[in-house]
Amino acid sequence: MRSLVFTAASESPSTADPVPMDGGMGELTESAVRDMPEYLQPWVGAGIAVVVAFVVTWIGAALVNRVLRRRPELRDDIGRSRWPIFVVLSSVGTVGSLEVTAPEAEWRGASNLLLLAVTIAAIAWLIVVLLHLVESALLSKYRSENSVDARRMAKLRTQVGLLRRVAVAVVLVLAVAGILLLIPEVRALGAGILASAGLISVIAGMAVQSTLSNVIAGLQIAFTDSLRVEDTVFVEGARGNVEEITLTYVVVRLIDDVRLILPSTYFTTTPFRNYSRGTSEVSGGISLELTWKAPVEVLRAKLEEELQQNEYWDGRSSDLSVTDAKGGLMTVYIWLSARNAGDLWSLHNSVREALVTELQQNYPDALPKPVIQAAGE
């Protein structure tokens, strides 16, 4: 029986060629497309490379999802890297398959240039996704530590976000430069561009002077700790919270949810109020103009009652005093404290409303009469 098998195998070598097992992707592709028409072989080889890249990418993604099933935020960030990895593997595999199926085709130069450009772009895409992943992992690590306070977390978010944007900008510039250097015509123009570098540098410097100033100002804001994400500031006559700090501008969300966008240089050249500087706990006061008939002790009791049930008061300090009295009116000043500027704003509004309502219902004579001017005065 053994001799019959060996005899049959030796008598039909052309019809029973074994598939090579140790030649890698190139030999596997060559074996699969050997008997096909010549014009179909490159397409079939490229298709096999794409299918293999798809299978490898999604098997890896399934393994990552299983390992990180208890870390959904990291799992989602890593999941975004599937497509750039798939494109990289597909383009590299396609180049390898074309080396086997069409080694001397006239269109190989153009196809290699296109595939290399796609590979460089996909690698840049993958690096950008990985930078987002590093940012998320770093912030997640510090966010899970109970000892990290809100101010330190806001500072870390600001600095890490700006560093990630700088790194993304560098990666994109290098990717574009790498793709352009693949084109021989662009490389040939390099000598002429370098010859006029002096004039170009002057023109470019004048054109991007404002942009560079904002970039430098953005880095200065991030690393001098003068401003952080979620800080409460008073700018351009309005109060708001810093929502985003980029390399060139800062987004401030005002109390009416309108976004005020200011260049980064505004915060390095113009004085502004930062209610969260030094600590997130803040204090502030409100004043009421009342007549001399206003019951001060009643207002103090009402203030204490309101504070005991108000969620925005942090319990640190409160006071009600008469700070001025002249012309038939007196100024009642209420000093309060809160955990942050946003809570202080809400606390001021609720306390003011409670005291005014108390006077309207029980002591209307304590409220000053409005002055109505005649028309034309």
Side-chain angles (χ1 to χ4, degrees):
M1 179 66 70
R2 181 181 303 176
S3 61
L4 290 176
V5 172
F6 284 131
T7 303
S10 61
E11 290 177 353
S12 56
S14 60
T15 59
D17 289 340
V19 177
M21 300 300 293
D22 57 351
M25 176 69 73
E27 293 188 9
L28 180 63
T29 304
E30 182 180 8
S31 175
V33 301
R34 180 179 299 166
D35 298 329
M36 292 185 178
E38 185 176 352
Y39 68 91
L40 285 179
Q41 292 180 4
W43 296 99
V44 174
I48 292 175
V50 172
V51 170
V52 171
F54 181 85
V55 172
V56 171
T57 302
W58 259 256
I59 289 177
L63 294 176
V64 169
N65 288 335
R66 184 174 182 83
V67 173
L68 297 178
R69 61 183 181 275
R70 297 183 180 179
R71 302 289 298 276
E73 66 283 351
L74 294 181
R75 183 185 60 199
D76 294 340
D77 289 332
I78 294 178
R80 297 189 183 96
S81 64
R82 289 197 303 264
W83 285 109
I85 292 175
F86 167 69
V87 175
V88 170
L89 294 179
S90 298
S91 56
V92 172
T94 302
V95 171
S97 68
L98 293 179
E99 288 290 341
V100 174
T101 57
E104 298 180 357
E106 297 180 356
W107 44 265
R108 280 297 309 282
S111 65
N112 283 343
L113 179 63
L114 178 61
L115 290 172
L116 286 175
V118 171
T119 303
I120 293 174
I123 292 174
W125 182 12
L126 178 60
I127 294 175
V128 171
V129 172
L130 293 179
L131 288 173
H132 280 275
L133 174 62
V134 171
E135 179 186 15
S136 299
L138 192 61
L139 294 179
S140 176
K141 175 182 179 299
Y142 280 93
R143 192 179 292 114
S144 62
E145 296 180 4
N146 297 327
S147 59
V148 178
D149 58 13
R151 290 188 67 255
R152 184 180 175 187
M153 191 65 199
K155 178 181 178 180
L156 185 66
R157 285 178 55 194
T158 302
Q159 295 179 348
V160 172
L162 277 176
L163 287 176
R164 192 255 307 164
R165 289 186 177 92
V166 171
V168 168
V170 172
V171 169
L172 294 180
V173 170
L174 292 178
V176 172
I179 293 174
L180 292 179
L181 289 176
L182 295 175
I183 306 174
E185 290 78 5
V186 174
R187 291 200 301 267
L189 290 176
I193 294 176
L194 291 176
S196 58
L199 178 60
I200 291 177
S201 62
V202 173
I203 297 174
M206 295 175 62
V208 303
Q209 181 179 5
S210 176
T211 301
L212 289 177
S213 298
N214 280 309
V215 170
I216 295 173
L219 294 174
Q220 181 180 348
I221 289 172
F223 292 98
T224 58
D225 200 22
S226 62
L227 190 69
R228 299 174 306 275
V229 176
E230 296 181 358
D231 273 1
T232 301
V233 296
F234 189 85
V235 291
E236 297 296 306
R239 188 190 69 86
N241 294 326
V242 177
E243 188 173 61
E244 183 181 6
I245 299 177
T246 70
L247 284 176
T248 56
Y249 62 89
V250 176
V251 180
V252 180
R253 180 170 54 85
L254 304 181
I255 57 176
D256 56 357
D257 284 337
V258 174
R259 268 62 177 181
L260 180 64
I261 301 176
L262 298 168
S264 299
T265 52
Y266 177 91
F267 294 93
T268 58
T269 60
T270 305
F272 64 96
R273 301 180 193 174
N274 189 340
Y275 295 102
S276 305
R277 173 69 174 171
T279 178
S280 60
E281 297 176 344
V282 291
S283 300
I286 56 177
S287 60
L288 299 176
E289 296 289 336
L290 306 174
T291 68
W292 289 1
K293 295 182 179 180
V296 177
E297 292 301 327
V298 172
L299 292 178
R300 284 199 181 98
K302 184 62 178 177
L303 174 62
E304 293 296 329
E305 177 186 347
E306 173 64 22
L307 292 179
Q308 294 302 321
Q309 60 185 7
N310 197 302
E311 61 178 335
Y312 299 111
W313 186 51
D314 63 356
R316 288 189 299 117
S317 62
S318 65
D319 183 58
L320 186 149
S321 304
V322 177
T323 58
D324 196 8
K326 59 183 179 181
L329 295 177
M330 64 179 179
T331 302
V332 176
Y333 192 78
I334 301 101
W335 182 262
L336 302 169
S337 64
R339 289 178 294 273
N340 53 61
D343 285 356
L344 183 63
W345 173 263
S346 301
L347 179 62
H348 282 175
N349 293 337
S350 58
V351 167
R352 186 186 295 110
E353 180 180 347
L355 297 181
V356 171
T357 301
E358 174 70 18
L359 294 175
Q360 287 176 336
Q361 294 178 352
N362 302 316
Y363 305 94
D365 292 339
L367 299 173
K369 299 297 187 289
V371 178
I372 301 176
Q373 293 183 348
E377 293 185 0

